[in-house]
Amino acid sequence: MAIHLSPNFAPGGSQNTGGMGNPFVIVWVCTGITLAILGSRLLLRKLKRHGFDLGDYLTMVTILFVTMRAIGAHIAFLYGNNNVSPDYRKSHTFTPDEIYRIETGSKFSFTNRVLFANILWIEKAVLLLFYKRLIRKIKWERVILRTYWSILALSYIVVLVVSLSECKPFERYWQVVPDPGTCAKATLQLFTYAAFNMFTDLLLIALPVRVLIQVKRPLLQKLQLGVLFSAGFFLIAITGIRLYENFDTGIAQVDRATWASAECLVASFVANTPVIYGLVY
């Protein structure tokens, strides 16, 4: 069966790969590495004969969401979505088959935005659960943890509400004809997610600094832990690149989906590597 590329993926559409290469390959390679990281955490728990904790159960949920998101991205790439350039709309009459395919792809694109937010905030929660053990003896421990959990919860709710309410009526998220307008581009969702994502990442990077200063370990181990904890800067960098790409290429769903796959990979690495490091060493 031949692959049908929709207008928003084919040349002349509003979306492109921004020179990133084959988006199908990028998504599945990133997804494979992400699942390997998540699976390694659970496998090491079993090999070490440790019981699963809350962070492990959240990791299981993340595995499900990451897999669902990759499948959704693949279908969205094949079917396209309703973020079609105005010039293309003027020169093209959509057939019933095209409308059906683009509506289907748009529904998967919309679902993936929600899955993506859930993946990132679950990984933040996993990391905070790990930090909870590190700061047990620090002054104001309860206040710090309550503050962090409150910020994570509120930021998650805001991102989720914006993701679900930018288009009114709701059907405009996948509407093809007539033009659904700018809300289908999810610009507000992108900037809201980016702002709260970078802010919460900075908070999570700052939390273990005092622990590293006070902990009695060899300098080399402190440096190793410092590198692990500071890996969150890569997440902030990727978010910044996604915003830059948004301005540089216009809002390209293919670009956003491929960068989101890379961000899921880095988020999984940041959240789970400290636990994996502890289980190995």
Side-chain angles (χ1 to χ4, degrees):
M1 180 179 176
I3 293 177
H4 176 283
L5 292 180
S6 75
N8 15 3
F9 191 82
S14 64
Q15 302 185 21
N16 57 70
T17 60
M20 294 180 65
N22 190 315
F24 297 96
V25 174
I26 294 173
V27 166
W28 283 110
V29 168
C30 289
T31 299
I33 299 173
T34 301
L35 293 176
I37 293 171
L38 299 171
S40 295
R41 170 184 176 136
L42 300 178
L43 179 61
L44 284 170
R45 283 280 195 215
K46 279 294 185 181
L47 292 177
K48 295 292 183 177
R49 298 185 177 181
H50 294 170
F52 289 140
D53 59 18
L54 179 56
D56 297 321
Y57 290 116
L58 288 175
T59 298
M60 295 176 192
V61 175
T62 305
I63 289 174
L64 175 62
F65 285 177
V66 168
T67 304
M68 290 171 60
R69 188 196 161 275
I71 294 171
H74 190 103
I75 295 173
F77 289 163
L78 287 176
Y79 282 23
N81 64 77
N82 59 353
N83 184 9
V84 181
S85 68
D87 290 339
Y88 191 88
R89 285 185 178 277
K90 291 178 181 179
S91 62
H92 183 77
T93 300
F94 292 99
T95 66
D97 180 64
E98 286 177 324
I99 292 174
Y100 169 76
R101 295 178 68 88
I102 295 174
E103 283 183 349
T104 301
S106 299
K107 290 176 182 178
F108 277 101
S109 294
F110 168 74
T111 302
N112 271 9
R113 292 183 201 128
V114 178
L115 284 172
F116 175 65
N118 277 276
I119 291 168
L120 289 190
W121 262 259
I122 288 174
E123 291 300 83
K124 294 176 195 293
V126 168
L127 188 58
L128 189 53
L129 286 169
F130 174 78
Y131 286 163
K132 181 181 178 180
R133 298 195 295 270
L134 291 181
I135 66 172
R136 281 176 181 170
K137 297 181 180 180
I138 289 183
K139 189 177 181 181
W140 306 110
E141 170 201 345
R142 291 185 179 181
V143 174
I144 293 172
L145 286 175
R146 286 176 181 174
T147 301
Y148 269 68
W149 282 118
S150 297
I151 292 173
L152 279 188
L154 288 173
S155 59
Y156 169 74
I157 291 171
V158 171
V159 171
L160 194 62
V161 168
V162 171
S163 299
L164 297 173
S165 63
E166 191 168 355
C167 277
K168 296 176 182 179
F170 198 74
E171 291 77 12
R172 290 175 66 189
Y173 278 113
W174 53 81
Q175 179 178 298
V176 180
V177 180
D179 189 342
T182 58
C183 77
K185 298 179 180 180
T187 307
L188 180 60
Q189 185 272 344
L190 175 64
F191 284 95
T192 303
Y193 130 78
F196 283 106
N197 188 47
M198 289 191 287
F199 175 65
T200 51
D201 283 344
L202 283 172
L203 290 179
L204 289 169
I205 292 171
L207 185 57
V209 171
R210 186 173 177 180
V211 177
L212 287 176
I213 296 174
Q214 294 181 344
V215 70
K216 294 181 180 180
R217 290 197 176 190
L219 179 59
L220 180 59
Q221 288 190 8
K222 284 189 175 184
L223 291 175
Q224 290 173 336
L225 290 172
V227 170
L228 290 178
F229 294 145
S230 62
F233 283 116
F234 287 105
L235 273 173
I236 296 173
I238 291 176
T239 304
I241 291 172
R242 290 187 70 194
L243 289 176
Y244 173 78
E245 287 289 322
N246 175 74
F247 285 115
D248 186 49
T249 65
I251 303 173
Q253 183 61 38
V254 173
D255 283 346
R256 287 173 63 169
T258 47
W259 278 115
S261 298
E263 193 162 357
C264 287
L265 167 57
V266 177
S268 298
F269 176 86
V270 171
N272 294 280
T273 302
V275 174
I276 294 173
Y277 178 88
L279 289 171
V280 173
Y281 299 100

